[in-house]
Amino acid sequence: MPATASGVVCRPIAWCDPVDAFAAIRHRPWPVLLDSALVDGTRGRWSLIAAEPFHRIEVAADAAGNPFAALADLLARYRIDPEDGLPRLGPGAIGWLGYEAGRFADRMPAPVPEGLDLPDAAFGLYDCVAVFDAVERRAFVLSAGWPETGPAARRRRATTRAEDLAAAIAAAPALPPPDPAPRGVWRAEMPAEGYRDGVRRIRDWIAAGDIYQANLTQRFLADLPDGLDPFTLHRRLRALSPAPFAAFLDFGAGRWIASASPERFLSVDAAGRVETRPIKGTRPRGADPATDAALAAELQTSEKDRAENLMIVDLLRNDLSRVCAVGSVRVPVLCGLESFPRVHHLVSVVEGRLAPGRGAIDLLRACFPGGSITGAPKIRAMEIIRTLEPARRGPYCGSIVHLGFDGSLDSSIVIRTLCGAGGRVAAQAGGGIVYDSDPDAEFDEAMVKVRPLLQALAGVA
């Protein structure tokens, strides 16, 4: 079990399904699954499982603690040197930043009191992880040995932790298909006409010159049925809507997230190369190849959807420029078509290179929350969202984040996601509203996005 120059123990293990492997540690404290459930070599490749973090961070809703500062301090304390040849993901801080955690990154309106009882930020520091490369079908256990600091003690802990995780994975049986029962019943928090009226009001703000775009969402609530494990719910959602940035996190006390996100928020490698992939523009998949191709072509030629995407690209270029080297920010892909099992999307790619002295936390702080789920200008759009949506978004429209001890970062936008707390489940969806938005079409688009979430719990389309 060789240790690398950075002190990380790297042990190859036999390939298996990451979801099967996760089931073997699912009931350990604070288990996490970063799940590339849709793999094509570019959007999805690496999955990760971990549990039993050696340190935890929680910032409750409306609390004063700053998660960005806490993460920066801990990551500096447990820094490891980056090393070529190790898998893309490794030991580090894993968790979520809720949408309202944006108040620690920039000026934003105070959140409304209503919402699920979930912290605005929750992270575990995981010294031992298993990572799975679905393209080359390889798997590894990586163990850093933290929080031990002496080289010998750190190596002993790293070896012991790696052996334990490898043994648990080796003993994991293949899972049967997820149990289709029990089922739950959803209730809409906002009537359909209320959502359409919100679209009209945003159009009025745009006409008045307040904003160019705002992201409006609607929420559905249900009680988690007795006997339904949230991980089973994640597996149902995964089967209905596989996604490259899917995730399942269970942070105890009935608090969990099951995500089928198609959208990368931010990534940065150990060399400081930055990427963000905003999604704006959606069409459903067609029932046959001809209809499907026509819907994709309609999306690609839609002036409204392309304009919506371009606004967010400009916002993210500005956000990245706050922490990236002058002249390094560029847009190699503008409004590219990406197709998923349920929808077509327009996806752009914005790249940059961190300026000297800047790191992953600086990047997160400069860009959070993501422009694709706020609008432009960002702060004013968030103020308008605050007046229209009746509850805190919580993790939804925030980010699930992996911060490597080597300085790397990968993160998703928390969309197409079920959130649970206190025996309740929330599903939420929406879209970017511009002046040309049609209230009926916007409502229909939001329902296309939320349908797999509702179906995962209720069993009906």
Side-chain angles (χ1 to χ4, degrees):
M1 187 181 297
T4 68
S6 63
V8 174
V9 165
C10 180
R11 172 177 174 168
I13 59 174
W15 166 265
C16 67
D17 186 324
V19 175
D20 292 344
F22 177 78
I25 63 167
R26 189 259 175 280
H27 294 293
R28 297 185 181 188
W30 281 41
V32 296
L33 165 64
L34 305 183
D35 183 14
S36 286
L38 181 66
V39 176
D40 61 9
T42 55
R43 294 180 302 190
R45 176 173 181 174
W46 295 98
S47 295
L48 175 151
I49 69 169
E52 301 174 295
F54 67 86
H55 188 88
R56 303 174 186 181
I57 300 170
E58 286 193 48
V59 177
D62 305 325
N66 187 316
F68 296 96
L71 286 165
D73 176 69
L74 288 165
L75 291 170
R77 190 183 312 172
Y78 297 111
R79 174 80 179 184
I80 61 175
D81 294 330
E83 185 168 346
D84 292 336
L86 290 181
R88 175 70 178 85
L89 300 175
I94 304 169
W96 74 71
L97 289 166
Y99 173 83
E100 283 78 19
R103 70 183 187 277
F104 300 110
D106 214 332
R107 180 179 62 84
M108 65 179 288
V112 296
E114 170 61 25
L116 292 185
D117 186 18
L118 287 163
D120 279 348
F123 282 84
L125 267 62
Y126 296 87
D127 61 305
C128 185
V129 304
V131 293
F132 302 82
D133 179 352
V135 173
E136 298 189 3
R137 295 183 71 81
R138 301 181 302 155
F140 306 85
V141 172
L142 301 174
S143 187
W146 299 123
E148 298 289 352
T149 54
R154 187 177 158 207
R155 174 61 188 272
R156 284 194 298 271
R157 175 178 167 85
T159 301
T160 299
R161 293 274 285 155
E163 289 175 347
D164 172 70
L165 184 54
I169 293 169
L175 291 172
D179 185 353
R183 298 291 186 178
V185 178
W186 292 103
R187 53 191 180 276
E189 185 177 50
M190 179 189 299
E193 189 54 34
Y195 188 81
R196 296 185 184 102
D197 184 61
V199 174
R200 298 183 188 100
R201 293 178 64 187
I202 289 173
R203 291 183 54 185
D204 290 341
W205 270 300
I206 294 170
D210 272 14
I211 54 169
Y212 303 107
Q213 180 182 161
N215 184 273
L216 179 66
T217 73
Q218 56 181 324
R219 193 170 71 149
F220 298 81
L221 297 168
D223 296 322
L224 185 69
D226 292 340
L228 178 57
D229 179 5
F231 180 50
T232 298
L233 191 55
H234 173 73
R235 294 179 62 216
R236 292 181 189 171
L237 178 59
R238 188 180 195 266
L240 289 165
S241 186
F245 302 104
F248 178 77
L249 300 88
D250 186 340
F251 283 179
R255 305 168 306 168
W256 53 270
I257 296 175
S259 179
S261 176
E263 184 171 357
R264 168 172 279 155
F265 177 31
L266 297 164
S267 73
V268 60
D269 64 18
R273 292 182 289 262
V274 174
E275 180 188 81
T276 183
R277 301 176 65 90
I279 290 175
K280 273 285 165 268
T282 304
R283 291 293 185 280
R285 298 300 301 263
D288 56 77
T291 304
D292 192 57
L295 287 165
E298 176 189 312
L299 177 60
Q300 288 178 289
T301 57
S302 166
E303 291 187 9
K304 178 259 184 188
D305 289 290
R306 294 181 68 89
E308 184 180 336
N309 194 295
L310 180 59
M311 289 179 200
I312 301 306
V313 167
D314 284 344
L315 187 156
L316 285 166
R317 288 175 61 197
N318 180 70
D319 283 351
L320 261 62
S321 295
R322 297 166 66 183
V323 292
C324 284
V326 174
S328 71
V329 177
R330 65 190 193 97
V331 184
V333 178
L334 182 63
C335 297
L337 179 72
E338 291 191 5
S339 298
F340 298 84
R342 294 296 188 108
V343 293
H344 298 292
H345 281 312
L346 292 183
V347 183
S348 294
V349 179
V350 187
E351 297 178 341
R353 188 180 68 257
L354 288 178
R358 297 289 195 170
I361 299 295
D362 299 307
L363 179 66
L364 267 178
R365 187 184 286 114
C367 299
F368 191 83
S372 66
I373 46 75
T374 56
K378 182 185 285 189
I379 301 301
R380 181 60 182 137
M382 293 171 74
E383 291 172 348
I384 288 171
I385 290 167
R386 167 66 173 77
T387 69
L388 295 177
E389 295 183 2
R392 296 195 312 274
R393 289 180 170 182
Y396 176 74
C397 286
S399 183
I400 293 171
V401 182
H402 174 282
L403 287 154
F405 292 135
D406 63 355
S408 62
L409 161 69
D410 208 353
S411 58
S412 69
I413 295 286
V414 182
I415 53 175
R416 320 296 155 80
T417 295
L418 297 167
C419 298
R424 292 199 300 167
V425 186
Q428 205 156 339
I433 310 304
V434 295
Y435 185 72
D436 292 337
S437 290
D438 174 75
D440 291 330
E442 293 296 341
F443 177 79
D444 291 345
E445 179 180 315
M447 293 307 299
V448 167
K449 294 172 181 175
V450 82
R451 188 164 291 120
L453 304 174
L454 305 184
Q455 187 178 355
L457 183 70
V460 292

